[in-house]
């Protein structure tokens, strides 16, 4: 049997025209504007085919060879392939592909490593951390005693001396590094040494940059961490979902923490789509792409700086940049709204020591995974910086003109169909 029974858009259009319209409008939205949200990307047609496949029907609680349902031979094979690919790509001793998201992966990592009430040392959210790194509105801040470390005010870089001092003072059971809006490389060895000094586990939340690790564009946390938690849909360009990598002695604890402790049935269409993305990430063209993501981000940060939007830390080593709009007298919230009206999707973001509340914020975060997948390069990044600057300063009439310029630019680099890998230099 080699017939694929997959997405049938005409059937959707007939059966549910309202949702069909949403799907088409969203495709237009993604293709019609500049997607600069640092945590988004455009997945390949192969990933989308698996997500829309009949694997979505299968219940498979458990792990390959040890399921609580019959009929799991094919999904076992998909999960085993994905695990083997992730182990090869990252040099990991053990991999769990079942977390439904990055937050689910982090919850399972906590469950495997610490007990409620334990002390966790992690980056403060306003300094670049994540909700699951101890925010009071999240399980991590409610069930664990979190001590937050911050960046230095003068350099806006992680203050490793402060991290060590806090670790010695509070003796955490778990140290977390990894961030959502920190544009620089993280010194994993320094964190490992600090964790070892106080007898703590080290978890690296690599959700944002694991795709850069896969593409060999930034150093890997895998040799240093007890557990690496990730998402699969950011720079890595796979389906939405999570993944955990760990050392062999923690394998059983991690697996039990994912299922049955924090999750039930895995989403096997997503697990198989992760396997597809992991194969794509091992190809030579993915390395070209990952390096280009960083070059684009650096060009975009430099372009924003030239327009009076100060890059936090002075620039970036990764796929994202954080720009401080204070000198322009525009809040992050207003900038996000104006940019959206001009067809430029980005997000407001707190900057370190931000005087504004998070819902207003003094900065914007921009990321280059999506535009790099589309085929844009440094020259276009300089154009984009100019378009962002114009939008941030613009009134309603000018926003329409900027939106026209954005449409003209993206029409030369359509997202779907994506550019063929043959067209890139590898
Ligand atoms: N929401 C993601 C981000 O945009 O950074 C992190 O979970």
């Amino acid at each position: 049997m080699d017939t694929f029974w997959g997405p049938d858009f005409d059937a959707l259009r007939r059966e549910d025209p309202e949702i069909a319209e949403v799907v088409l409008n969203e495709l237009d939205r993604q293709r019609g504007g500049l997607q600069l949200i640092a945590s988004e990307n455009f997945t390949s047609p192969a990933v989308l085919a698996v997500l829309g496949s009949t694997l979505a029907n299968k219940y498979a609680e458990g792990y390959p060879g040890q399921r609580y349902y019959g009929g799991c031979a094919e999904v076992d094979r998909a999960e085993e392939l994905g695990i083997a690919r992730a182990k090869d790509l990252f040099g990991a001793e053990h991999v769990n592909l079942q977390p439904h998201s990055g937050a689910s992966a982090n919850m399972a990592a906590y469950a495997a490593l610490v007990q409620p009430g334990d002390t966790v040392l992690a980056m403060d959210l306003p300094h670049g951390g994540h909700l699951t790194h101890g925010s009071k509105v999240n399980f991590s801040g409610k069930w664990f005693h979190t001590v937050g470390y911050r960046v230095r005010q003068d350099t806006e870089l992680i203050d490793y001396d402060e991290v060590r001092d806090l670790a010695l003072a509070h003796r955490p059971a778990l140290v977390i590094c990894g961030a959502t809006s920190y544009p620089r490389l993280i010194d994993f060895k320094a964190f490992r040494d600090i964790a070892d000094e106080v007898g703590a586990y080290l978890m690296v939340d690599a959700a944002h940059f694991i795709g850069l690790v896969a593409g060999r564009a930034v150093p890997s946390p895998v040799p240093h961490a007890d557990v690496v938690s990730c998402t699969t849909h950011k720079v890595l360009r796979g389906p939405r979902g999570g993944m955990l990598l760990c050392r062999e002695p923690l394998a059983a604890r991690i697996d039990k923490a994912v299922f049955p402790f924090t999750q039930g049935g895995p989403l096997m269409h997503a697990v198989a789509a992760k396997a597809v993305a992991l194969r794509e990430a091992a190809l030579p063209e993915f390395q070209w792409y990952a390096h280009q993501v960083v070059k684009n981000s650096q060009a975009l940060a430099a372009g924003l700086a030239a327009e009076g939007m100060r890059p936090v830390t002075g620039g970036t080593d990764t796929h994202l940049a954080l720009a401080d709009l204070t000198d322009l007298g525009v809040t992050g919230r207003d900038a996000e709204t104006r940019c959206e009206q001009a067809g430029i999707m980005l997000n407001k973001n707190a900057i370190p020591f931000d005087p504004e509340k998070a819902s207003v914020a003094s900065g914007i975060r921009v990321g280059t995974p999506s535009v790099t997948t589309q085929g844009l390069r440094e020259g276009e990044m300089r154009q984009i910086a100019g378009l962002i600057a114009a939008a941030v300063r613009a009134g309603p009439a000018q926003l329409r003109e900027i939106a026209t310029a954005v449409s003209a630019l993206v029409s030369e680099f359509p997202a779907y169909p994506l550019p063929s890998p043959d067209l890139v230099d590898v």
Side-chain angles (χ1 to χ4, degrees), residues 176-246:
I176 300 178
C177 63
T180 61
S181 58
Y182 185 70
R184 295 299 186 175
L185 298 181
I186 294 170
D187 185 344
F188 304 123
K189 165 86 170 54
F191 273 102
R192 175 78 264 167
D193 290 345
I194 291 166
D196 284 345
E197 200 173 346
V198 297
Y201 286 114
L202 176 63
M203 169 178 144
V204 177
D205 184 341
H208 260 266
F209 58 84
I210 194 70
L212 297 178
V213 176
R216 311 292 185 251
V218 300
S220 172
V222 172
H224 305 284
D226 296 294
V227 174
V228 175
S229 70
C230 327
T231 53
T232 48
H233 50 272
K234 298 188 172 89
V235 186
L236 190 57
R237 209 160 59 185
R240 298 195 67 86
M243 172 168 70
L244 286 162
L245 317 175
C246 71

Side-chain angles (χ1 to χ4, degrees), residues 85-151:
R85 289 171 184 178
K87 282 181 170 177
D88 277 358
L89 186 59
F90 299 112
E93 292 176 17
H94 182 75
V95 172
N96 188 306
L97 284 184
Q98 294 192 6
H100 301 327
S101 68
S104 310
N106 285 355
M107 185 182 238
Y110 276 85
L113 301 175
V114 284
Q115 296 295 322
D118 278 354
T119 298
V120 176
L121 179 61
M123 195 177 207
D124 264 354
L125 183 58
H127 286 241
H130 186 249
L131 275 176
T132 55
H133 298 182
S135 165
K136 286 284 170 224
V137 296
N138 182 262
F139 80 90
S140 55
K142 282 206 193 299
W143 295 344
F144 299 91
H145 169 58
T146 309
V147 177
Y149 59 85
R150 309 192 301 177
V151 297

Side-chain angles (χ1 to χ4, degrees), residues 63 96-100 104-105 107-109 111-112 244 252-264 266:
Y63 290 100
N96 188 306
L97 284 184
Q98 294 192 6
H100 301 327
S104 310
M107 185 182 238
L244 286 162
R253 275 160 68 182
I254 283 288
D255 284 352
K256 284 185 188 147
V258 174
F259 171 83
F261 194 76
T262 55
Q263 291 188 177

Side-chain angles (χ1 to χ4, degrees), residues 164-183:
R164 179 168 179 268
D165 290 346
L166 289 170
L168 291 171
H170 296 276
R171 315 296 300 187
L174 172 65
V175 175
I176 300 178
C177 63
T180 61
S181 58
Y182 185 70

Side-chain angles (χ1 to χ4, degrees), residues 19-41:
I19 290 295
E21 189 182 4
V22 169
V23 173
L24 289 178
N25 287 349
E26 176 58 13
L27 176 60
D28 277 353
R29 189 197 67 76
Q30 290 184 20
R31 282 200 288 213
L34 278 165
Q35 310 305 329
L36 297 175
I37 292 180
S39 44
E40 293 181 355
N41 212 329

